[in-house]
Amino acid sequence: MTMHDQGDLERQERERRRFFRIDDTVGLQLTPIAAADEAQMIAEFSERSADIGLLNELHAIRDQALPQRRKLEYKFPTVAAYTRVLERQIEMLAIAFESRQQGIVLELQPVNLSAQGMSLALDPPPAPGSLLEIELQLLPEGNRILTLGRVLERDEGPSAIEFEQLRDADREAIVRHIHALQLRRLRQENGLD
């Protein structure tokens, strides 16, 4: 191994640790992608992931408009309350649309999840370097995420998968989910729930 290779490995390891990791149970479906089909799957990814992650995209748009929403709540509380009702109605439509799009029931699977990837026990483990189509459902929110992930080289232990194709809105949904899960667990530990 050259010094350059060692530097690349160290950089990749730092990047992989950029996001907080948490043990969780998610709805999950993994579909192996043949090496010959990788380019086509990557090319079609944006369109397919937008259909599955519509709710995440709506939440990202809402979060971007948060400063304007706060001003509206301060100056016109009645209008802000009505806007929240409209947002909830749109969210319910998005949930209904997504549930009709997705007839698949995802199997519950324990994982160690971050916004960068996940690790989990798979039998048989996929080959290192292989590409997987991953459909996640975050619970209890029900948000669905479609991503493409690459299986990392591991000497032993659970399979590690790094998300290669993940929309920003979906990454933010994972970050929000992990944060909410941490808060719920802390409240339970402190007897506040």
Side-chain angles (χ1 to χ4, degrees):
M1 181 179 294
T2 68
M3 290 290 283
H4 179 67
D5 292 339
Q6 183 65 32
D8 282 347
L9 287 174
E10 289 172 4
R11 182 189 54 76
Q12 288 173 353
E13 185 62 25
R14 281 192 309 274
E15 280 291 304
R16 227 183 343 270
R17 300 295 177 202
R18 193 171 58 165
F19 295 100
F20 188 77
R21 306 184 76 76
I22 195 163
D23 290 326
D24 194 8
T25 299
V26 298
L28 185 66
Q29 179 176 326
L30 300 174
T31 306
I33 298 171
D37 298 332
E38 283 187 17
Q40 180 181 354
M41 291 299 289
I42 291 169
E44 295 172 355
F45 174 76
S46 292
E47 183 177 329
R48 294 190 61 237
S49 66
D51 287 344
I52 289 177
L54 178 61
L55 189 58
N56 300 332
E57 196 66 40
L58 288 172
H59 288 166
I61 292 168
R62 180 193 63 202
D63 291 348
Q64 287 174 350
L66 194 58
Q68 294 86 354
R69 185 176 176 177
R70 296 284 185 235
K71 287 179 184 176
L72 185 65
E73 288 172 349
Y74 178 73
K75 290 183 177 182
F76 305 103
T78 305
V79 174
Y82 183 68
T83 302
R84 283 192 300 276
V85 169
L86 292 175
E87 285 178 349
R88 184 64 189 137
Q89 289 174 333
I90 292 169
E91 194 172 281
M92 290 171 66
L93 287 172
I95 291 168
F97 175 77
E98 282 185 351
S99 66
R100 286 200 176 124
Q101 294 286 93
Q102 311 305 318
I104 302 166
V105 175
L106 302 179
E107 180 182 329
L108 294 181
Q109 177 84 28
V111 298
N112 184 268
L113 179 66
S114 83
Q116 188 69 29
M118 64 182 179
S119 61
L120 67 159
L122 294 171
D123 189 26
S130 61
L131 189 66
L132 301 173
E133 180 180 85
I134 303 162
E135 188 171 343
L136 286 170
Q137 185 173 27
L138 305 176
L139 304 170
E141 301 93 342
N143 294 22
R144 286 195 182 218
I145 294 169
L146 181 70
T147 181
L148 299 179
R150 182 87 49 196
V151 179
L152 301 176
E153 186 79 40
R154 296 287 293 252
D155 292 333
E156 57 184 49
S159 297
I161 302 168
E162 183 174 24
F163 300 146
E164 281 194 359
Q165 299 289 321
L166 183 64
R167 295 176 325 126
D168 288 341
D170 293 335
R171 188 176 313 279
E172 285 302 315
I174 293 171
V175 169
R176 280 192 308 270
H177 169 77
I178 289 172
H179 184 251
L181 183 58
Q182 284 178 298
L183 287 175
R184 279 194 304 272
R185 288 180 180 171
L186 284 171
R187 286 176 180 236
Q188 287 173 346
E189 287 174 13
N190 293 319
L192 299 174
D193 249 0

Short mmCIF file of all heavy atoms in Angstrom, two decimals, residues 37-75:
data_model
loop_
_atom_site.label_atom_id
_atom_site.label_comp_id
_atom_site.label_asym_id
_atom_site.label_seq_id
_atom_site.Cartn_x
_atom_site.Cartn_y
_atom_site.Cartn_z
N ASP A 37 -25.55 -3.19 -14.80
CA ASP A 37 -26.70 -2.29 -14.72
C ASP A 37 -26.43 -1.04 -13.88
O ASP A 37 -27.32 -0.19 -13.75
CB ASP A 37 -27.90 -3.03 -14.12
CG ASP A 37 -28.34 -4.20 -14.99
OD1 ASP A 37 -28.13 -4.13 -16.22
OD2 ASP A 37 -28.89 -5.17 -14.42
N GLU A 38 -25.24 -0.92 -13.30
CA GLU A 38 -24.96 0.19 -12.39
C GLU A 38 -25.15 1.55 -13.03
O GLU A 38 -25.80 2.43 -12.46
CB GLU A 38 -23.54 0.08 -11.81
CG GLU A 38 -23.41 -0.93 -10.72
CD GLU A 38 -22.05 -0.90 -10.05
OE1 GLU A 38 -21.30 0.10 -10.20
OE2 GLU A 38 -21.73 -1.89 -9.37
N ALA A 39 -24.60 1.77 -14.21
CA ALA A 39 -24.68 3.08 -14.86
C ALA A 39 -26.13 3.48 -15.12
O ALA A 39 -26.52 4.64 -14.89
CB ALA A 39 -23.89 3.07 -16.17
N GLN A 40 -26.95 2.55 -15.57
CA GLN A 40 -28.36 2.84 -15.84
C GLN A 40 -29.09 3.17 -14.55
O GLN A 40 -29.89 4.11 -14.49
CB GLN A 40 -29.03 1.67 -16.53
CG GLN A 40 -30.49 1.92 -16.82
CD GLN A 40 -31.17 0.74 -17.49
OE1 GLN A 40 -30.53 -0.24 -17.84
NE2 GLN A 40 -32.47 0.83 -17.65
N MET A 41 -28.84 2.42 -13.47
CA MET A 41 -29.51 2.67 -12.20
C MET A 41 -29.14 4.05 -11.64
O MET A 41 -29.99 4.76 -11.10
CB MET A 41 -29.17 1.58 -11.18
CG MET A 41 -29.76 0.23 -11.52
SD MET A 41 -31.57 0.22 -11.58
CE MET A 41 -31.94 0.38 -9.86
N ILE A 42 -27.87 4.42 -11.77
CA ILE A 42 -27.43 5.73 -11.29
C ILE A 42 -28.08 6.83 -12.12
O ILE A 42 -28.53 7.84 -11.58
CB ILE A 42 -25.89 5.82 -11.31
CG1 ILE A 42 -25.32 4.89 -10.23
CG2 ILE A 42 -25.41 7.25 -11.12
CD1 ILE A 42 -23.82 4.68 -10.30
N ALA A 43 -28.18 6.63 -13.43
CA ALA A 43 -28.80 7.63 -14.32
C ALA A 43 -30.28 7.82 -14.00
O ALA A 43 -30.80 8.94 -14.07
CB ALA A 43 -28.62 7.22 -15.78
N GLU A 44 -30.98 6.76 -13.62
CA GLU A 44 -32.42 6.83 -13.34
C GLU A 44 -32.72 7.18 -11.88
O GLU A 44 -33.87 7.36 -11.51
CB GLU A 44 -33.07 5.47 -13.65
CG GLU A 44 -33.02 5.10 -15.11
CD GLU A 44 -33.50 3.67 -15.37
OE1 GLU A 44 -33.79 2.94 -14.39
OE2 GLU A 44 -33.58 3.30 -16.54
N PHE A 45 -31.69 7.29 -11.06
CA PHE A 45 -31.88 7.43 -9.63
C PHE A 45 -32.68 8.68 -9.24
O PHE A 45 -33.59 8.61 -8.42
CB PHE A 45 -30.53 7.44 -8.90
CG PHE A 45 -30.66 7.72 -7.44
CD1 PHE A 45 -31.10 6.74 -6.58
CD2 PHE A 45 -30.38 8.97 -6.92
CE1 PHE A 45 -31.27 6.99 -5.23
CE2 PHE A 45 -30.54 9.24 -5.57
CZ PHE A 45 -30.98 8.24 -4.73
N SER A 46 -32.36 9.83 -9.78
CA SER A 46 -33.01 11.09 -9.38
C SER A 46 -34.52 11.02 -9.52
O SER A 46 -35.25 11.40 -8.61
CB SER A 46 -32.47 12.26 -10.19
OG SER A 46 -31.14 12.49 -9.85
N GLU A 47 -34.98 10.54 -10.65
CA GLU A 47 -36.42 10.48 -10.88
C GLU A 47 -37.10 9.49 -9.94
O GLU A 47 -38.13 9.78 -9.33
CB GLU A 47 -36.70 10.08 -12.33
CG GLU A 47 -38.18 10.08 -12.67
CD GLU A 47 -38.41 9.75 -14.14
OE1 GLU A 47 -37.56 10.09 -14.98
OE2 GLU A 47 -39.45 9.13 -14.42
N ARG A 48 -36.52 8.32 -9.79
CA ARG A 48 -37.12 7.30 -8.92
C ARG A 48 -37.11 7.71 -7.46
O ARG A 48 -38.07 7.50 -6.74
CB ARG A 48 -36.37 5.98 -9.10
CG ARG A 48 -36.55 5.41 -10.49
CD ARG A 48 -36.04 4.01 -10.66
NE ARG A 48 -36.74 3.12 -9.77
CZ ARG A 48 -36.13 2.35 -8.86
NH1 ARG A 48 -34.83 2.37 -8.74
NH2 ARG A 48 -36.82 1.56 -8.09
N SER A 49 -36.02 8.33 -7.00
CA SER A 49 -35.93 8.70 -5.59
C SER A 49 -36.88 9.87 -5.26
O SER A 49 -37.37 9.96 -4.14
CB SER A 49 -34.50 9.05 -5.20
OG SER A 49 -34.07 10.21 -5.87
N ALA A 50 -37.14 10.74 -6.23
CA ALA A 50 -38.05 11.85 -6.00
C ALA A 50 -39.47 11.35 -5.75
O ALA A 50 -40.21 11.90 -4.94
CB ALA A 50 -38.02 12.82 -7.18
N ASP A 51 -39.87 10.30 -6.46
CA ASP A 51 -41.20 9.73 -6.26
C ASP A 51 -41.34 9.13 -4.87
O ASP A 51 -42.37 9.27 -4.22
CB ASP A 51 -41.50 8.65 -7.31
CG ASP A 51 -41.76 9.24 -8.69
OD1 ASP A 51 -42.01 10.45 -8.78
OD2 ASP A 51 -41.71 8.47 -9.66
N ILE A 52 -40.31 8.45 -4.41
CA ILE A 52 -40.38 7.78 -3.11
C ILE A 52 -40.20 8.78 -1.97
O ILE A 52 -40.84 8.67 -0.95
CB ILE A 52 -39.32 6.65 -3.04
CG1 ILE A 52 -39.76 5.52 -3.96
CG2 ILE A 52 -39.14 6.15 -1.62
CD1 ILE A 52 -38.82 4.37 -4.05
N GLY A 53 -39.34 9.78 -2.15
CA GLY A 53 -39.03 10.72 -1.07
C GLY A 53 -39.78 12.03 -1.13
O GLY A 53 -39.27 13.05 -0.68
N LEU A 54 -41.00 12.03 -1.66
CA LEU A 54 -41.76 13.27 -1.80
C LEU A 54 -41.97 13.97 -0.47
O LEU A 54 -41.80 15.19 -0.35
CB LEU A 54 -43.11 12.97 -2.46
CG LEU A 54 -44.07 14.14 -2.64
CD1 LEU A 54 -43.44 15.21 -3.54
CD2 LEU A 54 -45.39 13.67 -3.22
N LEU A 55 -42.32 13.23 0.56
CA LEU A 55 -42.55 13.82 1.88
C LEU A 55 -41.28 14.47 2.42
O LEU A 55 -41.32 15.56 3.01
CB LEU A 55 -43.05 12.74 2.85
CG LEU A 55 -43.53 13.21 4.20
CD1 LEU A 55 -44.67 14.21 4.06
CD2 LEU A 55 -43.98 12.02 5.04
N ASN A 56 -40.13 13.85 2.19
CA ASN A 56 -38.87 14.43 2.65
C ASN A 56 -38.59 15.75 1.92
O ASN A 56 -38.08 16.70 2.52
CB ASN A 56 -37.71 13.46 2.41
CG ASN A 56 -37.91 12.17 3.17
OD1 ASN A 56 -38.56 12.14 4.20
ND2 ASN A 56 -37.36 11.09 2.64
N GLU A 57 -38.92 15.80 0.64
CA GLU A 57 -38.72 17.02 -0.14
C GLU A 57 -39.63 18.14 0.38
O GLU A 57 -39.20 19.29 0.52
CB GLU A 57 -39.00 16.75 -1.62
CG GLU A 57 -38.48 17.79 -2.54
CD GLU A 57 -36.96 17.87 -2.56
OE1 GLU A 57 -36.28 16.84 -2.53
OE2 GLU A 57 -36.45 19.01 -2.61
N LEU A 58 -40.87 17.80 0.73
CA LEU A 58 -41.78 18.80 1.29
C LEU A 58 -41.26 19.34 2.62
O LEU A 58 -41.33 20.54 2.89
CB LEU A 58 -43.17 18.20 1.47
CG LEU A 58 -43.97 17.95 0.19
CD1 LEU A 58 -45.26 17.19 0.51
CD2 LEU A 58 -44.28 19.24 -0.52
N HIS A 59 -40.74 18.47 3.46
CA HIS A 59 -40.18 18.92 4.74
C HIS A 59 -38.96 19.82 4.53
O HIS A 59 -38.78 20.80 5.25
CB HIS A 59 -39.80 17.72 5.61
CG HIS A 59 -40.99 17.00 6.16
ND1 HIS A 59 -40.89 15.76 6.71
CD2 HIS A 59 -42.30 17.35 6.24
CE1 HIS A 59 -42.09 15.37 7.12
NE2 HIS A 59 -42.96 16.31 6.84
N ALA A 60 -38.13 19.51 3.53
CA ALA A 60 -36.96 20.34 3.24
C ALA A 60 -37.39 21.73 2.79
O ALA A 60 -36.81 22.74 3.21
CB ALA A 60 -36.08 19.67 2.19
N ILE A 61 -38.41 21.81 1.95
CA ILE A 61 -38.91 23.10 1.49
C ILE A 61 -39.47 23.89 2.67
O ILE A 61 -39.22 25.09 2.82
CB ILE A 61 -39.99 22.91 0.39
CG1 ILE A 61 -39.34 22.35 -0.87
CG2 ILE A 61 -40.73 24.21 0.11
CD1 ILE A 61 -40.33 21.85 -1.90
N ARG A 62 -40.22 23.21 3.54
CA ARG A 62 -40.78 23.87 4.73
C ARG A 62 -39.65 24.42 5.61
O ARG A 62 -39.71 25.55 6.09
CB ARG A 62 -41.63 22.88 5.52
CG ARG A 62 -42.25 23.50 6.78
CD ARG A 62 -42.82 22.46 7.69
NE ARG A 62 -41.74 21.60 8.15
CZ ARG A 62 -41.91 20.38 8.62
NH1 ARG A 62 -43.10 19.85 8.69
NH2 ARG A 62 -40.87 19.66 9.03
N ASP A 63 -38.60 23.64 5.80
CA ASP A 63 -37.49 24.08 6.65
C ASP A 63 -36.75 25.27 6.04
O ASP A 63 -36.28 26.14 6.77
CB ASP A 63 -36.51 22.93 6.89
CG ASP A 63 -37.11 21.84 7.77
OD1 ASP A 63 -38.17 22.06 8.38
OD2 ASP A 63 -36.51 20.74 7.83
N GLN A 64 -36.66 25.33 4.72
CA GLN A 64 -36.00 26.47 4.07
C GLN A 64 -36.77 27.76 4.29
O GLN A 64 -36.18 28.83 4.36
CB GLN A 64 -35.86 26.21 2.56
CG GLN A 64 -34.81 25.19 2.23
CD GLN A 64 -34.80 24.86 0.74
OE1 GLN A 64 -35.69 25.25 -0.01
NE2 GLN A 64 -33.80 24.11 0.32
N ALA A 65 -38.09 27.66 4.41
CA ALA A 65 -38.93 28.84 4.58
C ALA A 65 -39.18 29.16 6.06
O ALA A 65 -40.03 30.01 6.36
CB ALA A 65 -40.25 28.64 3.86
N LEU A 66 -38.45 28.55 6.96
CA LEU A 66 -38.69 28.74 8.39
C LEU A 66 -38.57 30.20 8.84
O LEU A 66 -39.42 30.67 9.60
CB LEU A 66 -37.77 27.84 9.21
CG LEU A 66 -38.11 27.67 10.67
CD1 LEU A 66 -39.52 27.12 10.85
CD2 LEU A 66 -37.11 26.76 11.34
N PRO A 67 -37.57 30.96 8.40
CA PRO A 67 -37.51 32.37 8.84
C PRO A 67 -38.75 33.17 8.43
O PRO A 67 -39.28 33.94 9.23
CB PRO A 67 -36.26 32.91 8.14
CG PRO A 67 -35.43 31.72 7.84
CD PRO A 67 -36.40 30.60 7.60
N GLN A 68 -39.24 32.96 7.21
CA GLN A 68 -40.43 33.66 6.76
C GLN A 68 -41.65 33.20 7.56
O GLN A 68 -42.54 34.00 7.89
CB GLN A 68 -40.67 33.42 5.26
CG GLN A 68 -39.62 34.01 4.37
CD GLN A 68 -38.41 33.08 4.18
OE1 GLN A 68 -38.31 32.03 4.79
NE2 GLN A 68 -37.49 33.50 3.34
N ARG A 69 -41.68 31.92 7.88
CA ARG A 69 -42.80 31.39 8.66
C ARG A 69 -42.83 32.00 10.06
O ARG A 69 -43.90 32.33 10.57
CB ARG A 69 -42.65 29.87 8.74
CG ARG A 69 -43.78 29.19 9.41
CD ARG A 69 -43.58 27.71 9.36
NE ARG A 69 -44.62 27.03 10.10
CZ ARG A 69 -44.72 25.74 10.18
NH1 ARG A 69 -43.87 24.98 9.57
NH2 ARG A 69 -45.68 25.20 10.89
N ARG A 70 -41.66 32.16 10.68
CA ARG A 70 -41.59 32.77 12.01
C ARG A 70 -42.11 34.22 11.98
O ARG A 70 -42.82 34.64 12.87
CB ARG A 70 -40.16 32.74 12.55
CG ARG A 70 -39.61 31.36 12.78
CD ARG A 70 -40.20 30.76 14.04
NE ARG A 70 -39.57 29.49 14.31
CZ ARG A 70 -40.22 28.37 14.48
NH1 ARG A 70 -41.53 28.35 14.42
NH2 ARG A 70 -39.58 27.25 14.72
N LYS A 71 -41.73 34.97 10.94
CA LYS A 71 -42.22 36.34 10.80
C LYS A 71 -43.73 36.37 10.63
O LYS A 71 -44.42 37.21 11.23
CB LYS A 71 -41.55 37.03 9.60
CG LYS A 71 -40.11 37.38 9.83
CD LYS A 71 -39.51 38.02 8.60
CE LYS A 71 -38.03 38.27 8.78
NZ LYS A 71 -37.42 38.80 7.56
N LEU A 72 -44.24 35.44 9.84
CA LEU A 72 -45.68 35.35 9.62
C LEU A 72 -46.41 35.02 10.93
O LEU A 72 -47.44 35.62 11.24
CB LEU A 72 -45.98 34.29 8.56
CG LEU A 72 -47.43 34.14 8.10
CD1 LEU A 72 -47.90 35.41 7.39
CD2 LEU A 72 -47.56 32.95 7.18
N GLU A 73 -45.86 34.10 11.71
CA GLU A 73 -46.47 33.74 12.99
C GLU A 73 -46.51 34.93 13.95
O GLU A 73 -47.45 35.09 14.70
CB GLU A 73 -45.72 32.57 13.63
CG GLU A 73 -45.94 31.25 12.93
CD GLU A 73 -45.04 30.14 13.44
OE1 GLU A 73 -44.08 30.41 14.20
OE2 GLU A 73 -45.29 28.98 13.06
N TYR A 74 -45.48 35.76 13.89
CA TYR A 74 -45.40 36.93 14.78
C TYR A 74 -46.38 38.02 14.34
O TYR A 74 -47.11 38.56 15.16
CB TYR A 74 -43.97 37.47 14.80
CG TYR A 74 -43.81 38.70 15.63
CD1 TYR A 74 -43.84 38.63 17.03
CD2 TYR A 74 -43.64 39.94 15.04
CE1 TYR A 74 -43.70 39.77 17.80
CE2 TYR A 74 -43.51 41.08 15.80
CZ TYR A 74 -43.53 40.99 17.18
OH TYR A 74 -43.41 42.13 17.95
N LYS A 75 -46.40 38.32 13.03
CA LYS A 75 -47.21 39.43 12.54
C LYS A 75 -48.67 39.06 12.30
O LYS A 75 -49.56 39.88 12.51
CB LYS A 75 -46.61 39.99 11.25
CG LYS A 75 -45.31 40.72 11.44
CD LYS A 75 -44.82 41.31 10.14
CE LYS A 75 -43.55 42.09 10.37
NZ LYS A 75 -43.07 42.73 9.14
#
